[in-house]
Every structure is written in structure tokens, then in C-alpha cells.
Amino acid sequence: MKFLKTTLLFLTIIVAAGCSSTKLTKTWSDKEMTPQKFDRLGVAVLFKDQSNRYITERAVTDQLKKRDINALPTYDVFPFAGRFKEFAKDKSPEAVRKIIVDKVNEQNFDGFMIITMFDKTQQERWVNDRSLMMGGPAYYGTPYSMAGTYYDYYYYSMGTIYNDGHYVDEVTYYLECNLYDAKSEKLIWRAQSKSVNVKSIDEEAKKLADLIARQLITKKIIEP
């Protein structure tokens, strides 16, 4: 009985942890660059939703400041990020680029970080309402891999097939973070992240911000 409770608790934790997660999936850095020390690092988050942009920029800059990096949000400096089509109307690509460069120079940013969403996927997934309960210790706790004995597996499969369940929408967001040396205009670090089933923008923004800040320090991309 104790083993059964422990097994079910362990599986419940796994399922709960899988409900929402943010993690870095890829990172790249310029190996020829020495660790950078920025006096003013601008952070721009390009989301359509301005509230999400504000939350994420604040989270990232707060985490960097905790590590003695002078990071500054840009939602006041670049207010047009959420309405690009309106802003770029009747302007040439060169004119838009010049405005961005001028804004960076006006703020004396020597480093510039851009975070944007490059993909979003959505799919339906079947969730069995009682699948955790069907296997019991004989199935999940067997030393003979996941198959167990034929009667364990038959019992488990029978319960899985005939049990009630429901469909859930699983939404995955893919973000990209690029860090530039504003003076040389060179890309020095890039990371991609994956977030599944986001329930709270505040919480996921904090997770993303912590992952970015940790990587920049531990990989010696930026010096405090």
C-alpha cells in the first residue's frame, strides 16, 4: 500500500509538472566575443498584447538587475512595437530601421535584447480521467519494464480503453531572444524557448527571465 501511494504521488507530480512549463531549447553564442559589460542594456519584447509585453520586459530587467546588470525596459521608448503595421504605414523599410537605430542611440544603449514569439502551435490531446489508477503497483512497479505481466497489462489496457476521459487543448509557444552589441551591431547570443499550456503570464515570464539571466551569467556572455 505504501508503495502504491508513493507511485501514485510520483506520477501525479509528473503530470502536474507537465501542465505548464517554460524551458530553453536552444542557445548560441559568438565564441569569438569576450564577455560583455554593458552600461545600459535595453530590453525590447515584441508581443501584440501590450500588457504581456510590459510584464515580460519588467520580469527580464528585474532578473538582470538582481545580477548587477543595468537592464532597462523599452515599452516607453518603443511604444509602437505592438502596432507595427500602423507605425510602418507610408514609411520605407530604411526609414523604419533608422527610427529604431535613433531610439537606441538616444537612450545610449550599448546592448540591446529583443524577445519575440516566432511560432505557436495548438493541438487536441486525449486525457484519461482515471488512467493513473488502473495500473497499480503490479504494473508501474514491475521490474520487467513497462510491459509487466500479461494480466497486468491486459487489466491496465482494458481500464484505459473503457474509461471516461476528455479532450484538452494543448498550446505551445516558441520564443526567441537575441542579444546584440549595439555599438558593433553584432549578434552575440541567441536562445529559443518553449512554453506549454501557459496559465499565468506573470509566472511564465518570471521563469523565462530567470532562465535568460542565468544563462547570460553562467555562460559568461555578460559580466556584471
Side-chain angles (χ1 to χ4, degrees), residues 139-152:
Y139 179 67
Y140 285 107
T142 178
Y144 303 109
S145 74
M146 286 300 290
T149 63
Y150 66 85
Y151 46 83
D152 289 330

Side-chain angles (χ1 to χ4, degrees), residues 114-129:
I114 304 173
I115 300 173
T116 185
M117 182 173 72
F118 69 89
D119 197 11
K120 173 185 175 183
T121 62
Q122 184 171 348
Q123 63 180 1
E124 279 191 332
R125 182 169 58 87
W126 176 259
V127 176
N128 194 298
D129 291 340

Side-chain angles (χ1 to χ4, degrees), residues 67-106:
R67 294 163 172 83
D68 297 323
I69 297 170
N70 187 30
L72 303 164
T74 62
Y75 44 76
D76 289 331
V77 181
F78 293 91
F80 50 79
R83 47 188 177 87
F84 178 76
K85 288 183 179 180
E86 176 186 345
F87 169 77
K89 186 178 180 180
D90 301 327
K91 293 184 179 69
S92 68
E94 290 74 18
V96 174
R97 292 188 182 101
K98 185 178 185 305
I99 292 173
I100 296 170
V101 171
D102 289 344
K103 289 288 185 181
V104 170
N105 291 336
E106 286 172 9

